Each structure stands twice: as structure tokens, then as C-alpha cells.
Amino acid sequence: MAMGSKRKTPPGILLLRRIRGRNWSPKTFRYAILFITFIAYACYHASRKPSSIVKSVLHPEPSTKPPPQQHANNKYPWPLGNVFVKEEETDVNHDRSKGWEPFNGKDGTSRLGEIDVAFLACYSLGMYVAGHLGDSLDLRLFLAWGMIGSGFFVGLFGMGYFWDVHAFWFFLVMQMAAGLFQATGWPSVVAVVGNWFGKRKRGLIMGIWNAHTSVGNICGSLIAAGVLDYGWGWSFIAPGFVMSLGGVLVYLFLAAYPEDVGFPDINSNSGKFIKRKRNIEEEEEEEEVDVEGAVEEEGSGPGYENKTGVGLLQACMIPGVIPFALCLFFSKLVAYTFLYWLPFYLSQTTIGGEYMSVKTAGNLSTLFDVGGIAGGILAGYISDKFKARATTAATFMYAAIPAMLVYHSYGGVSQTVNIVLMMVAGLFVNGPYALITTAVSADLGTHKSLQGDSRALATVTAIIDGTGSAGAALGPLLTGFLSTLGWHAVFYMLVVGALCAGLLLTRLVIAEIREKLGYVDEVPASEPLLDDRR
């Protein structure tokens, strides 16, 4: 299935060409690609945060805990104002203390876990299909419609508040539909960035770029918490609307392939553009590429024919795909448990002897993602510096174990201690998750075993992140049940998950160490993907 043998140049870029009278340089296009895909996936993650923010509203704790701490109210929302704010009851349409049926019963946390797993299960299953489609279809259109569809169903979930819907199946179906559309995102943005950048410094570039995950989580938390006082439905509608606007931006300006805007293909290793002439490939500097001659027909690219996509089985056979996919299963189990349950956990536990309001818990949870931004950049830099993707990821996962245990044990001492320990935990939890879903996926999608005759970026990314998303579905589901036994049970589950993630990379770690020590004869087949030098 294909959308035609020739793709169209994005209409926004055509308009800019008319205004400027000439094309952008390759360097400018690369900056634009990083910016647009950053915004796009930040929107995806922002639209996933509302459910974690409103959990305490849908299912308020029926215990005898004292009222939330009452700090002076802010004139401005955090981060311009204080992170710790007073709870305001301005929702005139609904008594928040009663919760929202069907989530306010004794099995409320289980039902909240079930809608999380419904979203993530559909997201995980849809990822495998989306990855293959992303390699076969126009990535720009595929990503744009995925964003618009996802925003629509996220908004519909929020409309349940205004329509006074209390049927569990409604919320379940909305989450499942949103999950399917969300699956279009990650394979597409990684494939687009991989199309424009080679392997050199890919870990650092993608580590910085992958901050979109944490930035999206932060923005989604702030938007959802900021409009929560007007009714929890707005906490879904506002991010859904932003998501749809992001889809329009992608449709207008995203050049998914260099060929779409008049440039030749790039070398997947060096990142330099390749000028093909008489079947001989010659690498040239970007400045030497003729960008004007390619703009021949308005509304069309340079006549580039879609490359062949690879099948799921063939992509699975690429050395290293399976170990990293299984590692990401447990890594995302840990990361997504924090993503979906951290605000709820903060509102149900004492910090410095006080309980946090729902809005404060939402604000405070964003600091976990601030640590995650630093973790992604640090992991990318280290893996580039030592050319050791697996060793870096495994080390971070092992370090996350004591970080999480210390946070659970001492996070309630004071607000300052909680913030510091939360950011440290975020650094180690999100570091390997960011590395595997970006640089490692892009490395494998351009692996030399493909011999340059197929484009597998989206498919490989989908296999790795789709498997990881199965873990992401399992973590929040188990948390819904384990939290009834006490939060210590949840943290023990997270520790086991982090340990398994590290152990699954043992073979690749040994291969990297042996290579560094000079034992190259017996390095397994996965070794070439971890070495940037060819």
C-alpha cells in the first residue's frame, strides 16, 4: 500500500520558497526538522498527562487524612509562581470531594489502572502496524493525521465531564482509540530525524532532542493542572486541542525526507549528503549540493520514489533489536509507572508532615521530568563518547534502583529533599529509556546488514518501542492493584523492573567491554551496531 510513488513538498515550505525566492540550506532544514519533530512529540506526551493529573479528582482518597497544606495562593501558575499552592474549589458543576462515577468506588484505583492499560495496550499493538506503515507511506501525512486523530479522542474523553457520562465503557473506548492514534508518533519522528542525520554524534543530538518527552510531560502537567479548577474535562480538552494544532504544523512544514525538498539522500553513517552519479556514490559536503535545480515543479518533490519497507520478521533479525526491545519493556514499565501515577502518589503521601493538594502534586511531578531531560542528554553524551550504548543504558538502570529506594524512603522528609531525590530518580530512570528509543533505534534502523536497499527506521523503532510499550501498559496496571497493598509494594515492583532491564543487556555489555579490551574475534553479531566507526 502506498500513497503514490511521488511525495508532495509540504505546502508551508512551498509558501516560504515563494516569499524568499530560494530554498533553505540543508543546515537550516536540519534545524527545522529537529524543531518540528520536537514540538510534535512534545504534544504527544502532553496529551498523555491529563489522566495522571485528574486521578485524585476522579478517585479522591476516602481516608481520614488531614486537608492539604494551605500555602498562600499564587497570582501566577508554576513555574512563574510557587510550586506549592492552595487547593481552590472553583468547579461549580461538580463536588470534587465526591469523585466521579465510575472511578470513585472502592475499586476506583483498579479502574483507573484499567483505562491506562487500555490506552497503552492499543498503543503497543498499534505501534507494530504503524511502524511498517510509516516506512511505506508519506511520513508527513501519516504523522499529521495521527496527531489530529489523537487530539480528537483525548478531547472526547474530556467531553465526558460536560456530557455527564458515567459509563465506564465510554472512557475505555476513548482511551483505546487515542492509544491507536498515538502509535503513529514515535516511529515517525525517529524515522524523520534518522533520515536527516547520520550516526556521528547521534547519541548526543538525540539525547538533547529527546527532551521533548520530558518537556511534553511538563507542559501537559501544567496545562492539565492549570485548567483543573474549571472542571476536569478541560484538563483533557486543552491538551487535545494543542495536539491537533501540532498536527497542522506537521502537515504544513515537515519535510520528512531530504529528497522531498530537493536534496539527495544522506550517508547513514557520516550524515553527509550523497550525490549519485552513474551508479557511483560520492560523498560531498552540504555546501556543495545544488539545492536550486531540484525545485522543478511546484507542489512536487524531486521525483524521489519511495524506498522499500522491510517486514517485521526481517527487522527483528537485525542484530541487537530483540535484546534492546526486551530491555525497553522493563525500562518503560518503570518510566510509565512514574508518568501515570507519580502525581497520585504525591497527593496520597506526606511531605514534610503535610499532604499536597492535587494542583501541587501535579506541579511537583514535573520535576521528575526535569531530571529526565538531564538524564537523556547525559546518557546520549556518554554513549557517544565511549561508543557503548548498551553499557550506558545498563549502568543507568542499575543506578536507578538505589535512586528509587532512597526516594521512597526519604522523599517525605521535607519538600527540598523530595525535589532533589525525585530529580535524581528521574535522571536515572529516563536516561536509558531516552537512549534506547532514540539513538539505539536509529542505529539499528540503518544497520549495515540492510545493505542500503531498504528503509527500516520506522519499523525497527516500532518493534523496540512497541515491545517497550507493552511494559508501559503493564506497569500502571500492576500499580493500580499493588497500591492497595501499600506504596512499598509498588516500589519493589519498580526495582525488579529496573534490574531485569539491566540484566537483559548483559550479553551486549560484555561484547562492548571485550571490544574495548581488543578481543574482537569473538564479538557477537550485535557488535557492529554498537560501534559508530565503519
Side-chain angles (χ1 to χ4, degrees):
M1 180 180 179
M3 285 185 171
S5 59
K6 293 184 180 180
R7 295 181 298 268
K8 299 293 185 181
T9 300
I13 291 179
L14 286 176
L15 178 62
L16 290 176
R17 279 179 181 168
R18 287 180 187 165
I19 295 173
R20 299 180 73 246
R22 57 193 176 90
N23 202 8
W24 281 344
S25 69
K27 186 175 182 180
T28 302
F29 268 112
R30 280 175 162 164
Y31 283 130
I33 291 301
L34 288 177
F35 176 74
I36 294 172
T37 53
F38 185 100
I39 295 297
Y41 210 68
C43 289
Y44 273 96
H45 262 262
S47 67
R48 297 177 194 175
K49 283 298 289 185
S51 64
S52 67
I53 299 299
V54 304
K55 275 185 170 73
S56 295
V57 176
L58 300 177
H59 179 72
E61 168 142 340
S63 69
T64 58
K65 75 176 187 181
Q69 37 94 19
Q70 300 290 310
H71 290 275
N73 197 26
N74 288 330
K75 182 178 179 181
Y76 301 103
W78 191 80
L80 299 179
N82 293 327
V83 63
F84 298 96
V85 297
K86 180 175 71 176
E87 185 76 25
E88 291 185 0
E89 191 67 59
T90 58
D91 183 355
V92 297
N93 298 318
H94 178 67
D95 182 1
R96 188 183 295 177
S97 64
K98 294 181 179 178
W100 188 269
E101 191 181 348
F103 304 107
N104 58 351
K106 62 181 181 179
D107 59 346
T109 56
S110 298
R111 289 205 160 187
L112 290 170
E114 287 167 12
I115 63 169
D116 286 344
V117 79
F119 171 89
L120 291 166
C122 289
Y123 174 74
S124 177
L125 293 173
M127 188 78 71
Y128 294 99
V129 178
H132 183 66
L133 290 177
D135 280 328
S136 306
L137 308 179
D138 187 334
L139 281 171
R140 176 176 64 91
L141 298 179
F142 188 60
L143 182 60
W145 285 112
M147 293 182 71
I148 293 171
S150 179
F152 175 74
F153 284 105
V154 170
L156 277 184
F157 189 102
M159 288 303 297
Y161 170 82
F162 299 99
W163 295 337
D164 199 29
V165 176
H166 296 278
F168 179 67
W169 67 265
F170 172 83
F171 300 108
L172 193 69
V173 170
M174 293 304 104
Q175 284 289 77
M176 292 172 70
L180 287 174
F181 277 96
Q182 287 259 334
T184 61
W186 191 240
S188 299
V189 295
V190 172
V192 170
V193 173
N195 290 338
W196 280 89
F197 292 87
K199 252 185 156 184
R200 188 169 177 268
K201 293 187 178 178
R202 182 179 275 168
L204 178 60
I205 291 172
M206 286 194 156
I208 297 171
W209 172 74
N210 193 64
H212 53 47
T213 298
S214 296
V215 169
N217 290 340
I218 292 170
C219 293
S221 296
L222 296 179
I223 293 172
V227 298
L228 185 61
D229 291 330
Y230 303 101
W232 65 259
W234 286 110
S235 295
F236 288 88
I237 294 173
F241 178 70
V242 172
M243 177 76 159
S244 297
L245 287 181
V248 174
L249 174 70
V250 166
Y251 175 79
L252 292 176
F253 295 103
L254 182 67
Y257 306 87
E259 300 90 336
D260 288 354
V261 285
F263 301 114
D265 201 357
I266 68 166
N267 182 291
S268 63
N269 187 39
S270 68
K272 295 179 181 179
F273 287 96
I274 300 172
K275 185 177 181 180
R276 289 182 173 83
K277 190 174 183 180
R278 296 180 182 177
N279 297 324
I280 299 177
E281 293 186 0
E282 300 174 356
E283 287 188 17
E284 300 185 357
E285 296 295 331
E286 292 178 0
E287 292 77 13
E288 297 175 357
V289 176
D290 180 11
V291 298
E292 302 295 337
V295 188
E296 298 173 356
E297 294 182 28
E298 186 175 299
S300 67
Y304 172 74
E305 300 290 323
N306 285 334
K307 292 186 177 181
T308 306
V310 301
L312 287 174
L313 183 59
Q314 182 184 353
C316 286
M317 297 306 293
I318 298 173
V321 168
I322 298 301
F324 275 113
L326 294 176
C327 172
L328 191 63
F329 176 93
F330 290 101
S331 178
K332 289 191 77 167
L333 182 151
V334 176
Y336 269 65
T337 298
F338 279 100
L339 174 69
Y340 279 96
W341 285 93
L342 184 57
F344 186 79
Y345 168 73
L346 291 170
S347 68
Q348 306 299 312
T349 56
T350 58
I351 300 176
E354 297 178 315
Y355 282 93
M356 302 293 103
S357 67
V358 175
K359 182 176 285 190
T360 295
N363 291 341
L364 191 59
S365 68
T366 62
L367 297 174
F368 180 86
D369 290 293
V370 173
I373 293 174
I377 296 173
L378 184 62
Y381 173 78
I382 293 174
S383 71
D384 274 346
K385 180 76 173 176
F386 297 101
K387 294 182 173 63
R389 305 278 199 230
T391 304
T392 303
T395 301
F396 270 68
M397 289 311 307
Y398 291 138
I401 294 174
M404 291 187 294
L405 291 176
V406 170
Y407 174 67
H408 176 54
S409 300
Y410 298 101
V413 171
S414 69
Q415 296 168 358
T416 302
V417 172
N418 188 283
I419 289 173
V420 172
L421 294 179
M422 185 192 303
M423 292 177 69
V424 171
L427 185 149
F428 289 117
V429 168
N430 281 358
Y433 160 45
L435 180 66
I436 295 172
T437 54
T438 52
V440 170
S441 295
D443 288 352
L444 294 169
T446 55
H447 190 247
K448 68 180 184 181
S449 67
L450 297 169
Q451 299 177 347
D453 62 355
S454 298
R455 181 156 295 183
L457 273 171
T459 302
V460 168
T461 301
I463 292 171
I464 293 178
D465 203 45
T467 304
S469 296
L474 181 62
L477 176 66
L478 292 176
T479 301
F481 293 101
L482 292 176
S483 61
T484 60
L485 304 176
W487 288 104
H488 64 280
V490 175
F491 277 86
Y492 290 153
M493 175 196 73
L494 297 177
V495 166
V496 172
L499 179 62
C500 291
L503 291 176
L504 283 164
L505 293 180
T506 300
R507 180 173 176 270
L508 296 180
V509 170
I510 293 174
E512 288 177 346
I513 294 174
R514 288 178 62 86
E515 181 199 354
K516 298 302 177 187
L517 295 176
Y519 299 105
V520 293
D521 333 347
E522 302 176 22
V523 174
S526 59
E527 178 271 330
L529 70 92
L530 302 173
D531 186 359
D532 287 350
R533 298 163 296 178
R534 292 189 193 163

